[in-house]
Amino acid sequence: MSLISFKDVVKKYDMNISVNHLSLSIEEGEIFGLLGPNGAGKSTSIHLLAGLLKADSGEITVEGISVDRQPREVKKRIGLVPQELAIYESLTARENVTFFARLYGLRGKLLRDRVSEALEFVGLGERGGNKPSGFSGGMKRRLNIACAITHRPKVIIMDEPTVGIDPQSRNHILESVRTLNKLGSTIIYTSHYMEEVEAISTRVGIVDRGRLIASGTKEELGRQSGQKEKLIIETDTIAEAAIREMHDHPRVEAVQKLENGTLELYLQDARTYVQDILFILGKHRMNLLKLQRDEPDLETLFLQLTGRTLRDGK
């Protein structure tokens, strides 16, 4: 059973469908990158999972528990880091984290220990007595994370956690995501920074117009999009018979011969079939000098699958 499951979920606003029969599964231990153009339904889906909105139809479960029927049990398992800062400027950093920890039932020494632990984790241990009104944008973002993790949630939802912050805070947050995942939390991560999602996600889901249109690792998304990978092969000699044999390989789309004994091959799933290419080279006594595999980046795959850039709302 998947840790998180969306089954045929629909959410409408008047006549507009924000989430359109969405079905999606997230496994325990994943860092799941959720991508989509503006208005694709990402934030609505997150709010439905967190119990902040109610679906019109379909079912969402966390550890088999229904968000609709047992919302309080689900909320105990979730930590939400919202896109809009959810902190109180008039309270100190420690008071902010304490307030949210109390909402999850933490009391006494456990409460104090967990608050200190959360502040230390986000690098604000020495700033607990300061009010966030004097913090930088990055420090406020980190405090936002501390408020969401004191109860050690099973699932942590991070909605655009690095918007408008400095590179140092961004790197701190990305490293925090990896650490939280290693400590046992499953992470759902949304961002307009494609390179962030590519760097930290174990799997990616792409939503468009309220539907899941693709999900998987970057390699799996490449196969779903039909995007070809490129192998650059440099050898000491070129055998025409080898080029013909490569052309005949069922996974090779094209072979281009360049200068200085270099070949460019376009193929599907290069990692799986590179041994076939190396066998052909050896068969025709072509000594390999260099092998380079160029795969499409996540932004290219996203554009291929949606026909839009990540920030395009049209």
Side-chain angles (χ1 to χ4, degrees):
M1 180 180 65
S2 299
L3 178 65
I4 299 167
S5 175
F6 286 70
K7 293 182 180 178
D8 203 29
V9 175
V10 175
K11 178 62 180 177
K12 299 179 182 178
Y13 295 102
D14 297 324
M15 297 302 293
N16 297 317
I17 301 178
S18 179
V19 177
N20 189 5
H21 298 278
L22 176 66
S23 293
L24 168 67
S25 295
I26 298 173
E27 304 303 321
E28 185 170 0
E30 289 194 287
I31 301 177
F32 189 85
L34 186 62
L35 294 175
N38 288 332
K42 302 188 303 299
S43 291
T44 301
S45 299
I46 283 172
H47 292 159
L48 290 169
L49 173 61
L52 301 177
L53 292 173
K54 184 176 175 61
D56 295 312
S57 62
E59 184 178 43
I60 305 171
T61 59
V62 177
E63 289 193 305
I65 303 169
S66 170
V67 173
D68 184 38
R69 294 190 297 276
Q70 296 173 276
R72 186 168 296 181
E73 286 301 313
V74 170
K75 287 176 181 178
K76 290 178 182 177
R77 291 162 168 78
I78 289 178
L80 174 62
V81 182
Q83 184 174 347
E84 300 296 330
L85 290 171
I87 55 178
Y88 295 97
E89 299 276 351
S90 60
L91 301 179
T92 67
R94 181 173 295 277
E95 288 168 343
N96 266 281
V97 180
T98 299
F99 172 78
F100 286 101
R102 285 183 179 277
L103 296 180
Y104 287 100
L106 298 180
R107 297 290 186 272
K109 185 178 185 300
L110 178 61
L111 169 66
R112 295 190 295 273
D113 290 347
R114 291 282 187 87
V115 169
S116 296
E117 178 185 278
L119 287 169
E120 288 290 341
F121 181 79
V122 299
L124 296 175
E126 296 182 358
R127 304 296 295 269
N130 299 124
K131 293 182 178 181
S133 55
F135 287 0
S136 68
M139 292 168 69
K140 290 180 180 180
R141 288 282 171 188
R142 285 185 272 150
L143 178 57
N144 215 31
I145 293 173
C147 292
I149 64 173
T150 49
H151 61 298
R152 297 182 180 174
K154 189 83 170 180
V155 177
I156 301 174
I157 304 170
M158 294 191 164
D159 190 7
E160 302 281 355
T162 63
V163 170
I165 64 174
D166 60 276
Q168 182 178 358
S169 288
R170 174 175 287 113
N171 291 336
H172 191 289
I173 287 174
L174 294 180
E175 193 56 42
S176 296
V177 171
R178 295 187 182 97
T179 302
L180 288 166
N181 181 245
K182 289 177 183 176
L183 291 173
S185 291
T186 298
I187 313 291
I188 300 175
Y189 192 94
T190 79
S191 176
H192 275 96
Y193 300 110
M194 195 77 76
E195 67 277 8
E196 289 183 2
V197 177
E198 187 164 1
I200 66 172
S201 298
T202 56
R203 199 161 60 96
V204 174
I206 297 176
V207 294
D208 195 17
R209 296 178 175 88
R211 289 182 178 272
L212 181 72
I213 61 171
S215 67
T217 64
K218 193 170 77 168
E219 290 78 9
E220 290 168 342
L221 291 177
R223 290 194 290 272
Q224 292 174 49
S225 71
Q227 187 76 32
K228 307 301 183 295
E229 297 178 44
K230 180 168 68 174
L231 277 182
I232 301 173
I233 299 172
E234 189 176 323
T235 63
D236 61 349
T237 184
I238 296 291
E240 294 298 329
I243 294 178
R244 289 194 295 272
E245 191 169 341
M246 291 177 192
H247 268 299
D248 292 338
H249 192 285
R251 293 290 178 172
V252 175
E253 299 289 332
V255 181
Q256 294 182 2
K257 182 170 66 172
L258 307 180
E259 297 178 354
N260 303 322
T262 301
L263 297 174
E264 286 187 352
L265 281 72
Y266 295 85
L267 68 165
Q268 297 177 7
D269 198 4
R271 181 177 296 176
T272 301
Y273 294 99
V274 67
Q275 289 296 331
D276 294 1
I277 303 303
L278 295 178
F279 176 79
I280 293 172
L281 295 179
K283 177 181 175 181
H284 295 277
R285 298 182 179 179
M286 296 169 61
N287 294 317
L288 180 67
L289 303 178
K290 180 181 178 181
L291 176 66
Q292 179 180 329
R293 174 173 167 256
D294 286 352
E295 60 181 12
D297 60 21
L298 191 54
E299 190 161 4
T300 300
L301 296 174
F302 183 90
L303 181 61
Q304 182 81 15
L305 288 161
T306 67
R308 301 190 278 171
T309 64
L310 189 58
R311 294 174 177 82
D312 186 2
K314 299 180 180 179

